[in-house]
Amino acid sequence: MIATPAAEFSTDKGATRPVLMDLKNITLRFGGVVAIKDISFDIREGEIRAIIGPNGAGKSSMLNVISGFYVPQQGEIWFEGQKRPPMKPYQVARLGLARTFQNIALFDGMSVLDNIMTGRLNKMKSSLFSQALWWGPAEREEVENRAQVEKIIDFLEIQNIRKTPVGRLPYGLKKRVELARALAAEPRILLLDEPMAGMNVEEKEDMCRFILDVNDEFGTTIVLIEHDMGVVMDLSDRVVVMDYGRKIGDGTPDEVRANPEVISAYLGVAHE
Ligand SMILES: Nc1ncnc2c1ncn2[C@@H]1O[C@H](COP(=O)(O)OP(=O)(O)OP(=O)(O)O)[C@@H](O)[C@H]1O
Ligand SMILES: [Mg+2]
């Protein structure tokens, strides 16, 4: 039988897509604490890649390594086939990475719209001088920024709160605004640190739907830290499992669910 393009892009995105980011032998220490111990894994174009593990396993630290916020003592990060030199987080952002935080990091006094606009800062090329004069490229850029932000506001269904100060919003909506701000950067890779923590069932369902829609409609690669195993199993193409800074599992949701080391880490049974 002749393979159709549809067959090539089957549901198993993790196995069929090209590697976008390759993390090789990453070790990260904080003084005497080894937060990440010699971990390697890759992230493929267009997949939803989950990182799971018990509290303190090193998941947020790993996201911070990917985003350039922490520079590991050992290991290499390859992006699109090139070794990434040590970079500042804003330089990594320019490569096309955007993130949300485990604890919400928005400007409470600013409106939803203005918070989302801050996500465009990395995209702005024209100087403050030309922006002040409102000329040529700066004007075009402003129009483009506004259009992109409006698209995201529609997409995440937050039109009715666009002028509301973020500090007045309930928790679930704040998380959605954080996602909107990250999307405003039009990232290649979106890093989400526990986007559903503290949400009620309905808010979680909404967030799940938005994550899947972002992945589907924009083709955005997503790296997701999440504690709710049901959510992880539903959303992700592949899962990395961390425990005490080590990688103890890596594969499809079904594979990691059947992995004895993963089961024992989650059940709190002593390792053999
Ligand atoms: N900035 C830091 N300075 C010192 N130690 C840190 C720092 N950040 C993390 N750690 C330590 O590194 C280890 C991993 O922490 P990390 O926050 O990455 O875990 P996590 O898997 O995200 O946990 P949680 O599920 O609770 O969010 C922990 O022992 C933590 O105390
Ligand atoms: Mg964490």
Side-chain angles (χ1 to χ4, degrees), residues 34-180:
V34 189
I36 303 175
K37 286 180 201 154
D38 195 24
I39 288 191
S40 303
F41 66 97
D42 62 14
I43 301 162
R44 289 176 182 265
E45 185 101 52
E47 75 171 327
I48 300 183
R49 186 75 150 125
I51 303 177
I52 66 169
N55 290 115
K59 305 178 297 295
S60 293
S61 300
M62 183 56 89
L63 218 62
N64 280 318
V65 165
I66 295 173
S67 73
F69 193 71
Y70 292 152
V71 178
Q73 281 81 6
Q74 279 160 43
E76 295 178 355
I77 300 169
W78 289 66
F79 183 67
E80 292 195 299
Q82 292 203 318
K83 189 173 157 186
R84 190 175 92 185
M87 283 181 169
K88 298 267 186 284
Y90 78 88
Q91 294 170 313
V92 176
R94 287 208 169 133
L95 291 178
L97 275 84
R99 65 171 299 180
T100 67
F101 293 84
Q102 189 163 354
N103 299 308
I104 292 172
L106 292 166
F107 302 101
D108 271 353
M110 277 164 52
S111 70
V112 166
L113 181 66
D114 288 343
N115 266 283
I116 300 172
M117 280 301 277
T118 65
R120 295 295 294 173
L121 288 175
N122 267 312
K123 290 265 160 196
M124 295 188 185
K125 291 179 208 76
S126 50
S127 69
L128 283 176
F129 180 67
S130 58
Q131 277 178 27
L133 292 177
W134 194 251
W135 269 355
E139 184 175 357
R140 264 200 305 280
E141 205 179 292
E142 178 70 14
V143 169
E144 201 181 297
N145 284 331
R146 293 267 162 199
Q148 184 61 28
V149 166
E150 290 304 329
K151 187 170 124 190
I152 289 158
I153 286 176
D154 279 352
F155 188 79
L156 294 180
E157 299 165 13
I158 46 180
Q159 302 91 333
N160 56 336
I161 53 159
R162 58 210 298 291
K163 296 213 170 116
T164 310
V166 159
R168 292 214 203 120
L169 296 176
Y171 183 78
L173 277 179
K174 281 187 187 165
K175 285 289 217 188
R176 207 187 299 177
V177 174
E178 241 203 333
L179 175 62

